[in-house]
Amino acid sequence: MTRTERAPQKDRGGWILVAGSANVDYVTRVAHIPAPGETVLGLDYTLSAGGKGANQAAAAGRAGGRVRFLGALGDDAAAALLRRSLSESGVQDGSVTLGAPTGAAFISVSDAGENAITVASGANRLLSSEHLGDLAEVAMLLLVLESPLETVLDYARRARAAGCPVLLNASPARPLPGDLLACVDYLIVNEGELTALVGEAGDLNAKLSAARQLGPQTVIVTLGARGSLSLSSAGLTEVPAHPVTVVDTTGAGDTYLGVLAASLHAGLPLPAAMQRASVASALACTRTGAQPSMPWSGEIEAALAELKRE
């Protein structure tokens, strides 16, 4: 199916379905991120809910979205922690329990707010095509790349056939088949992931154009303190970052994705959805952790109202 032959989209009254990874995060504060071969001592560690899929679901739920999460968990205490966090964020949990430990992420956060992350996939690697149910009540599907690529591709194809818009967060960066990108309505990447997808040639605008030519209707690149930029049939849209004092960037990108999905699902135009997502991701940087740092709808709206008064 070509770009101009998309099936009719569903109305926005259904669910946002986030299908992807769920991990327990072990977070340690360090003076600086260790170099290869270097050992750095941290004072303590915290245990919290994470994983790109679960994070984005939690962010969307806290931002007011009607959200379901589909992931693969183990039969262990870590799974209980993740289910509890999703529930507290207003997310309906549709995860499956499989015969592997729940995924885990080991995160070092520097005093400058930078992070380095190692992920043990665990049960996440077992999420498969058979776990996706009927899409009749799904208005939007959000996918990430911490699940098996063949599963992501199958989910995207089935959503496309059902007329359900697909948002793909192409993270972690990896080569992507054209069949997958042809099913994507919104492709969201950071600058490094964009370069991994289209190569080094050209400036940022040229890279956005090259990515859009691969199939997605809209390509959005997040740029940290420089905000975010999108390219769609309506042209370029640039949204500045919301200035904050950074404590921890863990989960900021996932916050952007989840809030963007919730905002688009609520009917906001793309520029307004990007601004709401930008403000939310900045607020998440003022706190530690992934899901624990994610703001609620009231906090986001208050920050947006303050921007309008300035």
Side-chain angles (χ1 to χ4, degrees):
M1 189 179 289
T2 66
R3 180 179 293 166
T4 58
E5 296 172 336
R6 292 188 179 277
Q9 293 186 358
K10 298 177 184 297
D11 64 47
R12 293 186 174 94
W15 294 87
I16 301 169
L17 176 62
V18 183
S21 55
N23 298 318
V24 171
D25 290 347
Y26 295 83
V27 184
T28 302
R29 195 85 192 190
V30 293
H32 64 273
I33 301 299
E38 180 184 13
T39 298
V40 176
L41 294 179
L43 295 177
D44 207 345
Y45 71 91
T46 60
L47 187 65
S48 62
K52 294 191 71 64
N55 286 349
Q56 292 173 21
R62 291 184 177 207
R66 188 168 180 249
V67 186
R68 287 178 180 166
F69 175 69
L70 170 61
L73 304 176
D75 183 12
D76 48 30
L81 183 153
L82 286 161
R83 293 184 191 277
R84 183 168 61 251
S85 181
L86 288 167
S87 177
E88 290 172 351
S89 297
V91 176
Q92 184 182 88
D93 178 30
S95 299
V96 293
T97 300
L98 301 176
T102 297
F106 304 91
I107 305 171
S108 297
V109 181
S110 74
D111 289 340
E114 298 175 327
N115 63 57
I117 305 173
T118 300
V119 175
S121 295
N124 291 307
R125 71 182 186 275
L126 302 179
L127 186 68
S128 69
S129 298
E130 69 185 76
H131 299 129
L132 182 66
D134 185 9
L135 295 172
E137 296 184 1
V138 176
M140 179 179 289
L141 177 64
L142 177 53
L143 298 168
V144 298
L145 296 179
E146 287 184 338
S147 301
L149 187 57
E150 59 270 23
T151 301
V152 174
L153 175 57
D154 183 68
Y155 285 16
R157 284 173 170 164
R158 290 165 66 180
R160 177 64 176 272
C164 176
V166 175
L167 284 75
L168 174 65
N169 177 210
S171 177
R174 61 191 300 180
L176 297 178
D179 287 355
L180 173 58
L181 292 169
C183 294
V184 173
D185 293 272
Y186 295 89
L187 175 69
I188 304 97
V189 289
N190 64 26
E191 197 166 4
E193 291 155 357
L194 178 62
T195 298
L197 185 63
V198 301
E200 294 283 356
D203 61 11
L204 192 56
N205 290 358
K207 290 178 181 179
L208 283 171
S209 179
R212 189 167 182 266
Q213 289 172 16
L214 296 175
Q217 291 284 288
T218 299
V219 181
I220 301 172
V221 58
T222 57
L223 302 167
R226 290 150 50 213
S228 56
L229 185 66
S230 71
L231 178 65
S232 68
S233 59
L236 284 166
T237 298
E238 185 173 3
V239 173
H242 183 58
V244 294
T245 300
V246 173
V247 173
D248 179 8
T249 59
T250 305
D254 293 333
T255 300
Y256 186 101
L257 265 291
V259 176
L260 178 77
S263 302
L264 291 171
H265 181 259
L268 290 182
L270 181 61
M274 290 172 62
Q275 183 181 45
R276 192 166 185 253
S278 182
V279 166
S281 64
L283 293 175
C285 291
T286 65
R287 306 160 186 165
T288 59
Q291 290 178 37
S293 73
M294 293 173 173
W296 294 85
S297 180
E299 299 173 87
I300 301 168
E301 298 309 318
L304 286 168
E306 183 64 28
L307 277 178
K308 292 177 181 178
R309 287 193 291 268
E310 292 178 355

